[in-house]
Coordinates of all heavy atoms in Angstrom, one line a residue:
M222 N -2.2 0.9 -10.4 CA -2.3 0.4 -9.0 C -1.0 -0.3 -8.7 O -0.3 -0.9 -9.5 CB -3.4 -0.6 -8.9 CG -4.8 0.0 -9.0 SD -5.2 1.1 -7.7 CE -5.8 0.0 -6.5
A223 N -0.7 -0.2 -7.4 CA 0.5 -0.9 -6.9 C 0.4 -1.1 -5.4 O -0.5 -0.5 -4.8 CB 1.8 0.0 -7.2
H224 N 1.2 -1.9 -4.9 CA 1.2 -2.1 -3.4 C 2.1 -1.0 -2.8 O 3.1 -0.6 -3.5 CB 1.7 -3.5 -3.0 CG 0.6 -4.5 -3.1 ND1 -0.1 -4.8 -4.2 CD2 0.0 -5.3 -2.1 CE1 -1.1 -5.7 -3.9 NE2 -1.0 -6.0 -2.7
I225 N 1.8 -0.7 -1.6 CA 2.7 0.3 -0.9 C 3.1 -0.2 0.5 O 2.4 -1.0 1.1 CB 2.0 1.7 -0.8 CG1 0.6 1.5 -0.2 CG2 1.9 2.4 -2.1 CD1 -0.1 2.8 0.3
I226 N 4.2 0.3 0.9 CA 4.7 -0.1 2.3 C 4.6 1.1 3.2 O 5.0 2.2 2.9 CB 6.2 -0.5 2.2 CG1 6.4 -1.7 1.2 CG2 6.7 -0.9 3.6 CD1 7.8 -2.1 1.0
S227 N 4.0 0.9 4.3 CA 3.7 2.0 5.3 C 4.9 2.3 6.2 O 5.9 1.5 6.2 CB 2.5 1.7 6.1 OG 2.8 0.8 7.2
E228 N 4.8 3.3 7.0 CA 5.9 3.6 7.9 C 6.0 2.6 9.1 O 6.9 2.7 9.9 CB 5.7 5.0 8.5 CG 4.4 5.2 9.2 CD 4.1 6.7 9.6 OE1 4.7 7.6 9.0 OE2 3.3 6.9 10.5
E229 N 5.1 1.6 9.1 CA 5.2 0.6 10.1 C 6.3 -0.4 9.8 O 6.7 -1.2 10.6 CB 3.9 -0.2 10.2 CG 2.8 0.6 11.0 CD 1.4 0.0 10.7 OE1 1.2 -1.1 11.1 OE2 0.6 0.8 10.1
C230 N 6.9 -0.3 8.6 CA 8.0 -1.1 8.1 C 9.1 -1.1 9.1 O 9.6 -0.1 9.6 CB 8.5 -0.7 6.8 SG 10.0 -1.5 6.2
I231 N 9.6 -2.3 9.5 CA 10.7 -2.4 10.5 C 12.0 -2.8 9.8 O 13.0 -3.2 10.4 CB 10.4 -3.5 11.6 CG1 10.0 -4.8 11.0 CG2 9.2 -3.0 12.5 CD1 9.9 -6.0 12.0
K232 N 11.9 -2.8 8.4 CA 13.1 -3.0 7.6 C 13.7 -4.4 7.8 O 14.9 -4.6 7.9 CB 14.2 -2.0 7.9 CG 13.9 -0.6 7.3 CD 15.0 0.4 7.4 CE 16.0 0.3 6.3 NZ 17.0 1.4 6.4
C233 N 12.8 -5.4 8.0 CA 13.3 -6.8 8.1 C 13.8 -7.4 6.8 O 14.6 -8.3 6.8 CB 12.2 -7.7 8.7 SG 10.8 -8.0 7.5
G234 N 13.3 -6.9 5.7 CA 13.7 -7.3 4.4 C 13.0 -8.6 3.9 O 13.4 -9.1 2.8
A235 N 12.1 -9.1 4.6 CA 11.4 -10.3 4.2 C 10.7 -10.2 2.8 O 10.7 -11.1 2.0 CB 10.3 -10.7 5.2
C236 N 10.1 -9.0 2.5 CA 9.4 -8.8 1.3 C 10.3 -8.8 0.1 O 9.9 -9.3 -1.0 CB 8.6 -7.5 1.4 SG 9.7 -6.1 1.7
Q237 N 11.4 -8.3 0.2 CA 12.3 -8.0 -1.0 C 12.5 -9.3 -1.8 O 12.5 -9.3 -3.0 CB 13.6 -7.4 -0.6 CG 14.4 -6.8 -1.7 CD 15.6 -6.0 -1.3 OE1 16.1 -6.2 -0.2 NE2 16.0 -5.0 -2.1
G238 N 12.8 -10.4 -1.1 CA 13.1 -11.6 -1.9 C 11.9 -12.3 -2.5 O 12.0 -13.2 -3.3
E239 N 10.7 -11.8 -2.1 CA 9.5 -12.4 -2.6 C 9.0 -11.8 -3.9 O 8.3 -12.4 -4.6 CB 8.3 -12.3 -1.5 CG 8.6 -13.0 -0.2 CD 8.7 -14.5 -0.4 OE1 7.9 -15.1 -1.2 OE2 9.6 -15.1 0.1
C240 N 9.4 -10.6 -4.2 CA 8.9 -9.9 -5.3 C 9.4 -10.5 -6.6 O 10.6 -10.5 -6.9 CB 9.3 -8.4 -5.2 SG 8.6 -7.4 -6.6
P241 N 8.5 -11.0 -7.5 CA 8.9 -11.6 -8.8 C 9.5 -10.6 -9.8 O 10.1 -11.0 -10.7 CB 7.6 -12.3 -9.3 CG 6.5 -11.4 -8.7 CD 7.0 -11.0 -7.3
V242 N 9.2 -9.3 -9.6 CA 9.7 -8.3 -10.6 C 10.7 -7.4 -10.0 O 11.0 -6.3 -10.6 CB 8.5 -7.6 -11.2 CG1 7.6 -8.5 -12.0 CG2 7.6 -6.9 -10.1
D243 N 11.2 -7.7 -8.8 CA 12.3 -6.9 -8.2 C 11.9 -5.4 -8.0 O 12.7 -4.5 -8.3 CB 13.5 -7.0 -9.1 CG 14.8 -7.1 -8.2 OD1 14.7 -7.2 -7.0 OD2 15.9 -7.0 -8.8
A244 N 10.7 -5.2 -7.6 CA 10.2 -3.8 -7.4 C 10.5 -3.2 -6.1 O 10.3 -2.0 -5.8 CB 8.7 -3.8 -7.6
I245 N 11.0 -4.0 -5.1 CA 11.2 -3.6 -3.8 C 12.7 -3.3 -3.5 O 13.6 -4.1 -3.8 CB 10.7 -4.6 -2.8 CG1 9.2 -4.9 -3.0 CG2 11.0 -4.1 -1.3 CD1 8.7 -6.0 -2.1
S246 N 13.0 -2.1 -3.0 CA 14.3 -1.7 -2.6 C 14.4 -1.1 -1.2 O 13.3 -0.7 -0.7 CB 14.9 -0.7 -3.6 OG 14.0 0.5 -3.6
E247 N 15.6 -1.1 -0.6 CA 15.7 -0.5 0.7 C 15.9 1.0 0.7 O 16.8 1.5 0.1 CB 16.9 -1.2 1.4 CG 17.0 -0.8 2.8 CD 18.1 -1.6 3.6 OE1 18.7 -2.5 3.0 OE2 18.4 -1.2 4.7
G248 N 15.0 1.7 1.3 CA 15.1 3.1 1.4 C 15.8 3.5 2.7 O 16.3 2.7 3.4
E249 N 15.8 4.8 3.0 CA 16.5 5.3 4.1 C 15.9 4.8 5.4 O 16.5 4.3 6.3 CB 16.6 6.8 4.1 CG 17.7 7.4 5.0 CD 18.1 8.8 4.5 OE1 18.4 8.9 3.3 OE2 18.1 9.7 5.3
D250 N 14.5 5.0 5.6 CA 13.9 4.6 6.8 C 13.0 3.3 6.7 O 12.6 2.8 7.7 CB 12.9 5.8 7.2 CG 13.7 7.0 7.5 OD1 14.8 6.9 8.1 OD2 13.3 8.1 7.1
Q251 N 12.7 2.9 5.5 CA 11.9 1.7 5.3 C 12.1 1.2 3.9 O 12.8 1.8 3.1 CB 10.4 2.1 5.5 CG 10.0 3.2 4.5 CD 8.5 3.5 4.7 OE1 8.2 4.2 5.6 NE2 7.6 3.0 3.9
F252 N 11.6 0.0 3.6 CA 11.6 -0.5 2.3 C 10.6 0.2 1.4 O 9.6 0.7 1.9 CB 11.4 -2.0 2.3 CG 12.7 -2.8 2.6 CD1 13.2 -2.8 3.9 CD2 13.4 -3.5 1.6 CE1 14.4 -3.5 4.2 CE2 14.5 -4.2 1.9 CZ 15.1 -4.2 3.2
E253 N 10.9 0.3 0.1 CA 10.0 1.0 -0.8 C 9.6 0.1 -2.0 O 10.4 -0.7 -2.5 CB 10.7 2.2 -1.3 CG 11.0 3.2 -0.2 CD 12.0 4.3 -0.6 OE1 12.7 4.1 -1.7 OE2 12.1 5.3 0.0
I254 N 8.4 0.3 -2.6 CA 8.0 -0.4 -3.8 C 7.9 0.6 -5.0 O 7.3 1.7 -4.9 CB 6.6 -1.0 -3.6 CG1 6.7 -2.1 -2.5 CG2 6.1 -1.6 -4.9 CD1 5.3 -2.7 -2.1
D255 N 8.6 0.2 -6.0 CA 8.5 1.1 -7.3 C 7.2 0.8 -7.9 O 6.9 -0.3 -8.5 CB 9.7 0.7 -8.2 CG 9.6 1.4 -9.5 OD1 8.7 2.3 -9.7 OD2 10.5 1.2 -10.4
S256 N 6.3 1.8 -7.9 CA 4.9 1.7 -8.4 C 4.9 1.4 -9.9 O 3.9 0.9 -10.4 CB 4.1 2.9 -8.0 OG 4.6 4.0 -8.6
D257 N 5.9 1.8 -10.6 CA 5.9 1.6 -12.1 C 6.2 0.1 -12.4 O 5.9 -0.4 -13.4 CB 6.9 2.5 -12.8 CG 6.5 3.9 -12.7 OD1 5.3 4.2 -12.7 OD2 7.4 4.8 -12.7
T258 N 6.9 -0.5 -11.5 CA 7.4 -1.9 -11.7 C 6.4 -2.9 -11.1 O 6.2 -4.0 -11.7 CB 8.8 -2.1 -11.1 OG1 9.7 -1.1 -11.6 CG2 9.3 -3.5 -11.5
C259 N 5.8 -2.6 -10.0 CA 4.9 -3.5 -9.3 C 3.8 -4.0 -10.2 O 3.1 -3.2 -10.9 CB 4.3 -2.8 -8.1 SG 3.1 -3.7 -7.1
I260 N 3.5 -5.3 -10.2 CA 2.4 -5.9 -10.9 C 1.3 -6.3 -10.0 O 0.3 -7.0 -10.4 CB 2.9 -7.1 -11.7 CG1 3.5 -8.2 -10.8 CG2 3.9 -6.7 -12.8 CD1 3.8 -9.5 -11.5
D261 N 1.3 -5.8 -8.8 CA 0.2 -6.0 -7.8 C -0.1 -7.5 -7.5 O -1.3 -7.9 -7.4 CB -1.1 -5.4 -8.4 CG -1.6 -4.2 -7.6 OD1 -0.9 -4.0 -6.5 OD2 -2.6 -3.6 -8.0
C262 N 0.9 -8.3 -7.4 CA 0.7 -9.7 -7.2 C 0.3 -10.1 -5.7 O -0.3 -11.0 -5.4 CB 1.9 -10.5 -7.6 SG 3.3 -10.3 -6.5
G263 N 0.8 -9.2 -4.8 CA 0.5 -9.4 -3.4 C 1.5 -10.4 -2.6 O 1.3 -10.6 -1.5
A264 N 2.5 -10.9 -3.3 CA 3.4 -11.8 -2.7 C 4.1 -11.2 -1.5 O 4.4 -11.8 -0.5 CB 4.5 -12.3 -3.7
C265 N 4.5 -9.9 -1.6 CA 5.2 -9.2 -0.5 C 4.3 -9.1 0.7 O 4.8 -9.3 1.9 CB 5.7 -7.9 -1.0 SG 4.4 -6.8 -1.7
A266 N 3.1 -8.7 0.5 CA 2.1 -8.5 1.6 C 2.0 -9.7 2.5 O 1.8 -9.6 3.7 CB 0.8 -8.0 1.1
A267 N 2.0 -10.9 1.8 CA 1.8 -12.1 2.5 C 2.9 -12.5 3.5 O 2.6 -13.2 4.5 CB 1.6 -13.3 1.5
V268 N 4.1 -11.9 3.3 CA 5.2 -12.3 4.2 C 5.6 -11.2 5.2 O 6.4 -11.5 6.1 CB 6.5 -12.7 3.4 CG1 6.2 -13.9 2.5 CG2 7.0 -11.5 2.6
C269 N 5.0 -10.1 5.1 CA 5.3 -9.0 6.0 C 4.9 -9.3 7.4 O 3.7 -9.5 7.7 CB 4.7 -7.7 5.6 SG 5.1 -6.3 6.7
P270 N 5.8 -9.3 8.4 CA 5.5 -9.7 9.8 C 4.7 -8.6 10.5 O 4.1 -8.9 11.6 CB 6.9 -10.0 10.4 CG 7.8 -9.1 9.6 CD 7.3 -9.1 8.2
V271 N 4.7 -7.4 10.1 CA 4.0 -6.3 10.8 C 2.9 -5.8 9.9 O 2.3 -4.7 10.2 CB 5.0 -5.2 11.2 CG1 6.0 -5.7 12.2 CG2 5.7 -4.6 10.0
D272 N 2.5 -6.5 8.9 CA 1.4 -6.1 8.0 C 1.5 -4.6 7.5 O 0.6 -3.9 7.5 CB 0.1 -6.1 8.8 CG -0.7 -7.4 8.4 OD1 -0.4 -8.0 7.4 OD2 -1.6 -7.8 9.2
A273 N 2.7 -4.3 7.1 CA 3.0 -2.9 6.6 C 2.7 -2.7 5.2 O 2.7 -1.6 4.7 CB 4.4 -2.5 6.9
I274 N 2.4 -3.8 4.4 CA 2.2 -3.7 3.0 C 0.7 -3.8 2.6 O 0.0 -4.7 3.1 CB 3.0 -4.7 2.2 CG1 4.5 -4.6 2.6 CG2 2.8 -4.5 0.7 CD1 5.4 -5.7 2.0
S275 N 0.2 -2.8 1.9 CA -1.2 -2.9 1.5 C -1.4 -2.4 0.1 O -0.5 -1.9 -0.5 CB -2.0 -2.0 2.4 OG -1.5 -0.7 2.4
E276 N -2.6 -2.6 -0.5 CA -2.9 -2.1 -1.8 C -3.1 -0.6 -1.7 O -3.7 -0.1 -0.8 CB -4.1 -2.8 -2.4 CG -3.9 -4.2 -2.7 CD -5.2 -4.9 -3.3 OE1 -5.6 -4.5 -4.3 OE2 -5.6 -5.8 -2.6
E277 N -2.6 0.1 -2.8 CA -2.7 1.5 -2.8 C -4.2 2.0 -2.9 O -4.9 1.3 -3.6 CB -1.9 2.0 -4.0 CG -1.5 3.5 -3.9 CD -0.4 3.9 -4.9 OE1 -0.5 3.4 -6.0 OE2 0.5 4.5 -4.5
Ligands
LIG419 FE1 6.4 -7.1 -6.0 FE2 4.0 -8.3 -6.0 FE3 4.7 -6.8 -3.9 FE4 4.2 -5.6 -6.3 S1 2.7 -6.8 -5.0 S2 5.9 -5.1 -4.9 S3 5.0 -7.1 -7.7 S4 5.7 -8.7 -4.5

């Protein structure tokens, strides 16, 4: 299991600094979560201003 970022992402970057395992990176159209690295803590989802992050 991992968290995922939907296409609603506005690329604000708020989530990236919150991830304790550095699983979030900036993709071409939106930020992305590496599912192999994500430990499902939910820290990123809590700070997303447009609620684009959810559990897979
Ligand atoms: Fe990182 Fe936690 Fe979000 Fe997974 S759920 S991407 S570990 S902040």
Side-chain angles (χ1 to χ4, degrees):
M222 294 291 278
H224 275 60
I225 49 169
I226 301 177
S227 79
E228 59 189 20
E229 283 161 66
C230 173
I231 56 171
K232 288 184 86 172
C233 71
C236 58
Q237 194 170 28
E239 297 298 316
C240 183
V242 293
D243 218 5
I245 303 177
S246 60
E247 186 173 353
E249 201 157 307
D250 299 318
Q251 61 181 76
F252 276 73
E253 300 166 339
I254 296 175
D255 178 2
S256 58
D257 291 330
T258 307
C259 175
I260 56 171
D261 245 358
C262 71
C265 52
V268 299
C269 181
V271 295
D272 260 340
I274 306 178
S275 59
E276 287 179 65
E277 199 166 45

